[in-house]
Amino acid sequence: RAAEWQLDQPAWSGRLRITAKGSTAFIKLEDKTSGELFAQAPVEQFPGIAVEGVTDSSRYFVIRIEDGNGRRAFIGVGFVDRGDAFDFNVALQDHFKWVRQQSELARQAQDLEQGPKLDLGFKEGQTIKLNIANVKKKEGATGNTRPRPAGPGGLSLLPPPPGGKSGSGERPASLPTPAQLPGTPITDSLLSWPQPAAAPAADVWGDFAKASG
């Protein structure tokens, strides 16, 4: 019970910090000015014998301090502010919650390593059947289109008109070969067609030439 302590005359006052190394938490009592360590209490389990709350207050606890040489002592500590006592409890709970999670993950990993491994390889003589009869080709696929033969000069050749006779041996009359000017070779297949005569130049002045004066 905290009421049995001399709360108005504490034997020591300072700051309290909680640190952790591995799975062990350490409650450190330090000088609030110099930071010199006054005492520390290693906590390997919470709740446990290393940290116990009193029965008559939520701001006071009994902790077990150790000096590292095997000597231990139980002392009472308390917080002036109730919020600091709450943070003290939460810090210890969060640490050991993390310890339990790490232990559970390690146990699951060990079970996976020791468990039977799945053999997904084919056995000797084993076959597999694939049904691809329902696979449809996409519309507009490039594999279904056939390129049209291109004529000279990059022009596409059109099929004969529907009224023409096929297989009769008749051939269309050949177009007259254009006269080639001296020194001007015909290099474009488009020049093989007869060119239309140039239209006469329009009268630029129009009706203005007939205006009087």
Side-chain angles (χ1 to χ4, degrees):
R1 291 175 55 87
E4 302 174 356
W5 304 345
Q6 299 178 359
L7 300 179
D8 54 342
Q9 296 179 356
W12 179 87
S13 63
R15 71 182 183 188
L16 183 147
R17 288 196 308 132
I18 298 179
T19 62
K21 183 177 181 181
S23 61
T24 304
F26 294 89
I27 302 174
K28 295 186 176 183
L29 305 178
E30 301 173 345
D31 186 273
K32 58 184 177 181
T33 304
S34 63
E36 182 181 358
L37 181 65
F38 172 76
Q40 72 175 0
V43 183
E44 298 178 354
Q45 184 180 356
F46 182 79
I49 194 175
V51 181
E52 292 181 289
V54 298
T55 59
D56 57 345
S57 176
S58 62
R59 296 186 291 116
Y60 295 89
F61 304 86
V62 175
I63 65 174
R64 184 182 63 184
I65 61 175
E66 299 181 7
D67 63 352
N69 296 323
R71 294 186 299 177
R72 299 176 178 178
F74 290 90
I75 64 173
V77 297
F79 298 91
V80 177
D81 184 62
R82 194 177 302 275
D84 293 337
F86 177 79
D87 292 342
F88 173 77
N89 260 318
V90 170
L92 291 173
Q93 291 174 2
D94 287 348
H95 169 73
F96 286 99
K97 180 180 179 181
W98 173 82
V99 171
R100 289 191 297 270
Q101 290 176 349
Q102 296 299 315
S103 177
E104 181 68 18
L105 292 176
R107 185 185 64 81
Q108 293 178 0
Q110 185 177 4
D111 292 343
L112 290 176
E113 292 179 357
Q114 295 178 355
K117 297 182 178 180
L118 296 177
D119 185 8
L120 302 179
F122 285 98
K123 304 299 187 294
E124 184 177 357
Q126 185 177 5
T127 60
I128 185 172
K129 182 179 179 180
L130 299 178
N131 185 9
I132 59 175
N134 296 328
V135 178
K136 297 181 179 180
K137 294 184 178 181
K138 295 182 179 179
E139 295 182 2
T142 57
N144 296 333
T145 59
R146 299 179 59 184
R148 295 181 178 179
L155 297 177
S156 299
L157 298 179
L158 300 177
K165 298 181 180 180
S166 59
S168 59
E170 298 179 2
R171 298 180 62 185
S174 59
L175 297 175
T177 304
Q180 180 177 354
L181 299 178
T184 306
I186 299 177
T187 57
D188 196 343
S189 62
L190 296 179
L191 297 179
S192 61
W193 298 89
Q195 302 297 326
D203 190 358
V204 180
W205 292 100
D207 296 337
F208 288 99
K210 301 177 182 179
S212 59

